[in-house]
Each structure stands twice: as C-alpha cells, then as structure tokens.
Amino acid sequence: MITIRPARTEDAGALPQIEQSAGRAFRAIPELAWLADGDNVSAERHRALIAGGACWVAADGRQQPVGFLSAGIEGVALHIWELDVRLDRQGQGIGRALVERAIEDAGQRGLAAITLTTFRAVAWNAPFYRKFGFRVLEDAGIDERLASLLSDEAEHGMPLDQRCAMRLDLSRADTR
Ligand SMILES: CC(C)(COP(=O)(O)OP(=O)(O)OC[C@H]1O[C@@H](n2cnc3c(N)ncnc32)[C@H](O)[C@@H]1OP(=O)(O)O)[C@@H](O)C(=O)NCCC(=O)NCCS
C-alpha cells in the first residue's frame, strides 16, 4: 500500500536513487536518453528542501519512499522542483497522487499558483501536468523568475526549445 506523507529529513538519503531510477524512463527517447545518466539532486539539497516544508514522499508498506515531489514556496507560488517515481512503480497513479497532494497543500496555504518547468512533448511531462489543469506559459506569460530558471537549465545543457514553464492557477482550478 502506498501512502503520501510529508518528507522527513531522514528520507533525503533515499531520494537521489529514486530520481536515478525514474530518469531511466528517458532511455525510451533517443535524443533525451542522456538524461538517464545525468546528475541527481543531492541528498544535502533535499534536506534543505524538506526543511522548507513543501516536500512529500510516496511511501510503501515499510515506510520506504518509492516516489517524491519536492517543492518550495516562491512568492505567491508553490514551485515544483522535482517529481520522480521509481521506474518499477511508474504508471500506478503514484505521480498523480503526489501532484494532487501538492495542489491541495498549495490551496490550503492560500497560494495563487503552482509553477514548474518541464519538457513540452514528453508524454509524462507537460501532457501529464495538463491533466491537472496546468497550462504552458508562452512569451510574456513567463515571468522573470521562470525565465531565469529556463535559462539556467539551458546553461546546464537542456534543449531550451523543448522546455517550457507551466502554471496552475489555483483560483481557476477551484472553479473548474
Ligand atoms: C512523471 C512521473 C513522476 C509520473 O509518475 P507515475 O506514477 O508514473 O504517473 P501516474 O501513474 O500517476 O500517471 C498519471 C498520468 O500520467 C500519464 N502517464 C504517466 N506516465 C506515462 C507515460 N510513460 N506515457 C504516457 N502517459 C503517461 C498516465 O496516463 C496517467 O494518466 P491517467 O491517470 O489519465 O491515465 C514518472 O513518470 C517519472 O518519474 N518520470 C521520470 C521523471 C520525470 O520526468 N519527472 C517529471 C519531471 S517534470
């Protein structure tokens, strides 16, 4: 049985391995296969994110994390930094449950939106987030913070034309 719970400091050590496993999904896309061997977010950075109070893990029956969503509060938005589900646990609704938990939490905090950056055309990236009501921001819709994140990603080798920033407007989500 999987439960979604707030991440604890002691979970941090397990998260890089989950990201590593999750990233193997990109081996299915030849031009992005290199991502599968890329660097992972360090346990130290996870500890800092967890301390911010906006990170959740999907834990199995033994309380071991098999997926996580790391986010942080940036102004009036909850920004999702990372979402990963271990490869052998993908496609079972765990990613959906983590995103739903983050949306619920952001709503309870009274935040205006949830933001993130992702790949436009990878099935489990932008199209996955669209199912929750996230929309791709274009041109003027991309604020300075998100533009700066996209540009940092490009500096780290991400193909900028394939990346996008997305936003879920929470008041809009409530009235859907
Ligand atoms: C993105 C990710 C966390 C999704 O987690 P998951 O547990 O596999 O997703 P779910 O089982 O909850 O699927 C939710 C929806 O996404 C769709 N989806 C998930 N994986 C998919 C895939 N490989 N191909 C097509 N659609 C997919 C499902 O169809 C599902 O929609 P539905 O409920 O309407 O059928 C997971 O695929 C992953 O870790 N990927 C690698 C890392 C990554 O890309 N992270 C996101 C970075 S922004």
Side-chain angles (χ1 to χ4, degrees):
M1 200 191 68
I2 296 291
T3 47
I4 309 295
R5 60 162 173 80
R8 305 174 188 134
T9 309
E10 58 267 31
D11 293 320
L15 305 188
Q17 273 174 305
I18 294 173
E19 182 184 350
Q20 180 68 35
S21 169
R24 285 194 214 123
F26 286 98
R27 293 220 171 115
I29 306 171
E31 67 273 21
L32 296 178
W34 60 275
L35 286 167
D37 302 309
D39 288 343
N40 300 314
V41 175
S42 67
E44 191 187 356
R45 166 88 172 131
H46 278 300
R47 272 188 284 276
L49 285 167
I50 290 168
C55 297
W56 295 269
V57 298
D60 66 12
R62 294 176 304 125
Q63 279 303 305
Q64 296 306 306
V66 298
F68 67 90
L69 186 154
S70 301
I73 294 162
E74 298 283 324
V76 294
L78 183 78
H79 184 80
I80 298 180
W81 291 110
E82 203 50 60
L83 170 66
D84 289 296
V85 171
R86 216 171 67 191
L87 189 65
D88 62 314
R89 296 287 196 150
Q90 291 179 11
Q92 299 167 22
I94 298 175
R96 169 178 289 277
L98 283 163
V99 173
E100 282 171 352
R101 180 63 177 263
I103 294 172
E104 189 190 318
D105 180 85
Q108 282 167 357
R109 289 178 203 241
L111 294 172
I114 304 185
T115 56
L116 56 90
T117 60
T118 195
F119 281 103
R120 279 176 192 273
V122 172
W124 56 88
N125 284 187
F128 163 81
Y129 288 111
R130 252 188 228 112
K131 292 183 182 184
F132 302 91
F134 283 82
R135 64 198 159 87
V136 172
L137 300 171
E138 303 290 356
D139 307 322
I142 303 174
D143 66 16
E144 220 171 283
R145 175 177 67 84
L146 292 169
S148 149
L149 288 179
L150 287 168
S151 124
D152 287 351
E153 290 177 0
E155 271 176 36
H156 286 89
M158 292 283 202
L160 194 53
D161 58 331
Q162 294 175 43
R163 298 289 290 175
C164 65
M166 299 186 87
R167 176 181 169 106
L168 174 69
D169 197 313
L170 291 173
S171 50
R172 228 176 61 152
D174 285 344
T175 54
R176 261 190 314 156

